[in-house]
């Protein structure tokens, strides 16, 4: 006896199956993988990353994106995930801290520099520093202290000196 009949269901025929139409949504690429957001278009990217995709490296730092711990790369540029609604991300490429490492698992040079310089205090701000640092190194391959001072990140553990050394190490600049 077929399983459908054993469960008391009528047998299905090909004509009985009507596929649902593809849901409208916002298509984006996160860390190289395609996703479609079909929920509230005003949802901040931060909550989509954390609550829907379970990418929790990006941290909330306040309703206005203070402190830089909510930074991600959107089309290669650092952007606040709390200030960016999903509606503004159609077709965008988003990279989170989880997407910085290479496919083979090797760390991004800045991630390795953070390890080498022990630039991780409590860790809450680290993802934001990494994203801001990658953006800075893309724009200014040999950043100065003043360039690094312009980053929007805050660290309450006092790791700024080690972060500066890590960014300069990744750039091949003497700290």
């Amino acid at each position: 006896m077929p399983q459908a009949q054993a469960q008391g269901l009528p047998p299905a025929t090909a004509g009985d199956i009507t596929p649902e139409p593809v849901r409208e949504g916002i298509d984006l690429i996160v860390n190289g993988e395609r996703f479609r957001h079909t929920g509230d278009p005003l949802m901040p990217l931060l909550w989509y990353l954390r609550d829907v995709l379970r990418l929790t490296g990006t941290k909330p730092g306040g309703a206005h994106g203070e402190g830089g711990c909510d930074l991600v790369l959107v089309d290669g540029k650092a952007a606040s995930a709390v200030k960016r609604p999903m509606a503004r991300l159609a077709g965008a490429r988003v990279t989170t801290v989880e997407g910085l490492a290479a496919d083979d698992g090797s760390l991004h040079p800045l991630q390795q520099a953070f390890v080498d310089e022990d630039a991780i205090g409590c860790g809450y701000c680290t993802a934001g520093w990494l994203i801001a640092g990658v953006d800075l190194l893309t724009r200014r391959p040999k950043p100065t202290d003043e360039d690094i001072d312009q980053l929007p990140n805050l660290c309450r553990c006092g790791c700024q000196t080690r972060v500066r050394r890590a960014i300069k190490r990744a750039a091949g600049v003497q700290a």
Side-chain angles (χ1 to χ4, degrees):
M1 175 182 293
Q3 186 176 6
Q5 288 177 341
Q7 294 176 350
L9 300 173
T13 63
D16 293 342
I17 299 172
T18 305
E20 290 189 28
V22 174
R23 292 177 72 179
E24 293 292 319
I26 298 162
D27 293 321
L28 69 157
I29 297 171
V30 178
N31 297 336
E33 193 173 339
R34 292 187 176 281
F35 292 95
R36 172 170 284 168
H37 173 62
T38 58
D40 182 359
L42 296 179
M43 172 188 266
L45 172 61
L46 176 69
W47 301 119
Y48 181 72
L49 294 172
R50 292 182 61 81
D51 295 346
V52 177
L53 301 185
R54 300 290 188 219
L55 296 171
T56 58
T58 307
K59 304 287 191 258
H64 305 290
E66 309 89 13
C69 58
D70 72 316
L71 292 177
V72 296
L73 297 174
V74 176
D75 295 327
K77 294 182 172 77
S80 168
V82 77
K83 291 193 225 178
R84 186 71 52 117
M86 293 301 294
R88 290 184 37 213
L89 293 163
R93 297 182 82 78
V94 176
T95 304
T96 68
V97 69
E98 292 92 345
L100 290 180
D103 290 340
D104 67 2
S106 60
L107 296 178
H108 183 282
L110 185 57
Q111 289 174 308
Q112 186 60 56
F114 264 63
V115 172
D116 296 342
E117 293 293 340
D118 193 27
I120 304 164
C122 74
Y124 197 84
C125 66
T126 304
W129 277 110
L130 287 165
I131 294 293
V134 167
D135 176 63
L136 174 62
L137 291 170
T138 300
R139 292 180 291 107
R140 305 244 356 179
K142 302 290 183 192
T144 64
D145 287 344
E146 294 76 30
D147 295 329
I148 296 169
D149 289 344
Q150 296 302 310
L151 296 177
N153 306 76
L154 298 176
C155 174
R156 290 186 171 92
C157 299
C159 291
Q160 291 89 335
T161 303
R162 290 178 281 172
V163 167
R164 179 186 312 277
R165 284 197 315 257
I167 292 171
K168 287 188 168 190
R169 177 187 282 250
V173 176
Q174 291 294 339

